[in-house]
Amino acid sequence: MPEILIRNAQTVLTMDDADSELSAVDIRLKDGVIAGIGQGLQSTGEVIEAGNCVVTPGLVNTHHHLYQTLTRAVPGGQDALLFGWLKTLYPIWSRFGPEEIFISAQIGLAELALSGCTMSSDHLYLYPNGARLEDTIHAAAEVGLRFHPTRGAMSIGESAGGLPPDSLVEQEAAILEDCIRVIDAFHDASDGAMVRVGVAPCSPFSVSRELMRDAAILARDKGVMLHTHLAENDEDIAYSEAQFGCRPGQYAEDLGWTGDDVWHAHCVKLDGQEIDLFSKSRTGVAHCPCSNCRLGSGIAPVRAMHDAGVKVGLGVDGSASNDAGSLVGEARQAMLLQRVAKGADAMSAREALRIATRGGAEVLGRHDCGQIAVGKRGDVAIWDVSGIESAGSWDKAAFLLAGPTRVRHLLVEGRQVVRDGEIVTFDLSQAIVKQNRLALGLAEKS
């Protein structure tokens, strides 16, 4: 693997243990890792001039439904709350197949890359018409991002009192069997892994108590992480209390869904006891601010979580509930929402950026990523602060307040995915044409 030298970076926000900020330094990447940081470094490899740039660790996306990139701004779901939104979209998603799953993942991951993201999870919980988890894994390999796909599932359809149509649910024995298959085939537990697989029943209202418990047992037997939705809105809380006789946090704990190997999406409605539970158990949270706004779910208590020591990362969530996929945009929105809730001093730009980088890496169990330090993986975002968005900015390192919003260069495992603001790993323009054709076909049949 060739070396790359990032030369004379204006500012480097390392996100290391000391929150070091460096000026006018070089970063040398070799064999997929950060091999050197300092001034006057030498390299025989490619040189990236960064004199007008802020350099950060790559951003980390801890929650997504990449398949939804094909169903943005669907009219029937534009102004619906969560459960009504799902009812609108389930019939459309039931017409997907492997091609739709692949291209939507490819487009969604490319969009993330352009917003500075080097590592993304994905929660795929429906498998219509022969689709499989590896459809997304192959897409991630083409784009070049580090990928944490999770084998999601739904097992309670409409005929059994659930939300999804029966055509989108699976038998629970088959779900567990396929979890084992994809873990054995694709999961890599080593440092620097490009793919790590997780187990992720969709939500407490779309699978049985038994599947939740069995999934936790299976994941721990295999040494992989667990993920699901939890406490997303008021309807979610009401469902948990009516069906299970307890709040979502208690339900999760009772079924083995707390711990350092678990992260939950949203958690908008966690109360103080649940926050303490997550802190003590080291359970992670994927905060999805734009989706929470889009669906009217509320403002997650991120300030309280962070102060209590809960691991918090960011997620763009599915593009059908956002409807964008900009991770740097999520970081800005997270900062602004905490200020709305708690005051203008509730969260700084730097703290929000730390949640978006190192925070996300810690939620996903990736202690080899998320910071710029010698020996960490070569996942780096380079932001050009010489353009119009940063013009007049006194503190260009606080770019969540002004800009830019599109990365200039992006490196994953020491390889360039974005160069001069463009994806270089595959033909994005052709993928966009294909995506639009598939979306048009779905719309015509609706």
Side-chain angles (χ1 to χ4, degrees):
M1 185 181 298
E3 288 188 10
I4 291 183
L5 182 67
I6 302 168
R7 186 158 62 192
N8 195 34
Q10 179 176 307
T11 305
V12 177
L13 302 178
T14 66
M15 305 301 168
D16 65 10
D17 292 341
D19 268 337
S20 304
E21 296 189 12
L22 310 175
S23 300
V25 298
D26 307 331
I27 303 169
R28 185 164 63 93
L29 308 178
K30 183 179 181 181
D31 298 328
V33 302
I34 297 171
I37 303 172
Q39 295 181 327
L41 299 184
Q42 300 298 313
S43 175
T44 58
E46 180 181 355
V47 175
I48 297 174
E49 298 291 347
N52 292 317
C53 298
V54 173
V55 178
T56 71
L59 278 57
V60 178
N61 180 37
T62 61
H63 185 65
H64 207 331
H65 307 295
L66 286 164
Y67 75 90
Q68 293 180 10
T69 312
L70 260 172
T71 49
R72 306 189 208 237
V74 172
Q78 287 181 16
D79 304 312
L81 298 178
L82 175 62
F83 284 13
W85 173 84
L86 286 169
K87 288 276 193 178
T88 298
L89 290 165
Y90 278 142
I92 301 172
W93 296 335
S94 69
R95 298 199 296 274
F96 280 28
E99 183 180 28
E100 285 81 6
I101 297 295
F102 175 87
I103 193 67
S104 57
Q106 194 179 48
I107 291 291
L109 290 166
E111 185 178 17
L112 284 170
L114 292 169
S115 73
C117 176
T118 53
M119 177 163 60
S120 180
S121 66
D122 185 47
H123 189 185
L124 181 60
Y125 52 80
L126 46 81
Y127 298 87
N129 305 310
R132 300 195 297 176
L133 187 67
E134 49 262 49
D135 297 326
T136 64
I137 294 172
H138 298 328
E142 285 207 9
V143 179
L145 293 199
R146 209 177 292 279
F147 196 43
H148 281 230
T150 61
R151 207 301 180 181
M154 297 186 293
S155 63
I156 301 177
E158 286 180 312
S159 64
L163 278 176
D166 290 348
S167 63
L168 284 177
V169 303
E170 302 172 88
Q171 295 296 314
E172 296 191 348
I175 291 166
L176 295 171
E177 182 179 339
D178 198 54
C179 286
I180 294 170
R181 180 188 70 83
V182 294
I183 292 167
D184 289 347
F186 299 105
H187 180 68
D188 182 356
S190 65
D191 280 357
M194 291 299 291
V195 178
R196 287 191 183 171
V197 177
V199 175
C202 181
S203 66
F205 53 81
S206 59
V207 300
S208 71
R209 182 188 297 266
E210 290 72 27
L211 182 61
M212 292 291 289
R213 183 182 292 112
D214 290 346
I217 293 170
L218 185 154
R220 292 189 170 114
D221 179 64
K222 289 290 190 178
V224 302
M225 294 190 72
L226 288 157
H227 183 53
T228 193
H229 299 91
L230 199 78
E232 184 170 354
N233 61 14
D234 290 331
E235 292 172 283
D236 207 338
I237 302 298
Y239 184 93
S240 181
E241 291 175 339
Q243 297 297 318
F244 311 131
C246 62
R247 287 184 57 85
Q250 184 64 55
Y251 181 74
E253 184 180 34
D254 290 347
L255 296 179
W257 277 77
T258 55
D260 196 45
D261 57 351
V262 181
W263 86 104
H264 294 286
H266 302 299
C267 297
V268 174
K269 299 296 181 178
L270 290 190
D271 65 14
Q273 287 185 321
E274 289 165 323
I275 290 172
D276 288 343
L277 168 64
F278 278 28
S279 175
K280 291 173 183 176
S281 62
R282 297 294 295 155
T283 304
V285 170
H287 173 44
C288 306
C290 288
S291 176
N292 296 158
C293 289
R294 162 76 162 74
L295 292 173
S297 300
I299 301 174
V302 174
R303 181 72 272 159
M305 292 182 200
H306 219 236
D307 290 346
V310 176
K311 295 184 298 181
V312 180
L314 294 182
V316 301
D317 202 8
S319 298
S321 67
N322 189 317
D323 289 55
S326 168
L327 196 51
V328 71
E330 297 295 330
R332 175 179 167 81
Q333 187 78 347
M335 172 187 69
L336 295 178
L337 281 180
Q338 294 312 299
R339 293 181 178 211
V340 168
K342 298 294 183 180
D345 59 351
M347 182 171 288
S348 71
R350 283 169 170 79
E351 185 176 15
L353 189 62
R354 186 177 180 88
I355 291 172
T357 52
R358 186 162 177 179
E362 290 175 350
V363 165
L364 295 182
R366 295 305 298 258
H367 301 288
D368 54 341
C369 302
Q371 53 183 305
I372 295 178
V374 173
K376 301 298 181 182
R377 309 313 300 184
D379 295 2
V380 179
I382 303 174
W383 308 86
D384 187 345
V385 291
S386 66
I388 189 169
E389 293 172 298
S390 302
S393 175
W394 288 28
D395 180 5
K396 296 186 186 296
F399 63 90
L400 293 187
L401 291 171
T405 57
R406 184 164 173 151
V407 77
R408 178 179 174 185
H409 303 295
L410 190 77
L411 299 104
V412 181
E413 193 69 2
R415 297 182 288 261
Q416 279 200 276
V417 173
V418 176
R419 180 184 293 118
D420 293 323
E422 302 294 336
I423 297 284
V424 295
T425 49
F426 74 103
D427 190 336
L428 179 58
S429 61
Q430 287 299 311
I432 292 171
V433 169
K434 188 173 184 179
Q435 170 98 331
N436 286 332
R437 175 177 58 80
L438 291 172
L440 179 61
L442 290 166
E444 288 175 344
K445 294 176 183 178
S446 297

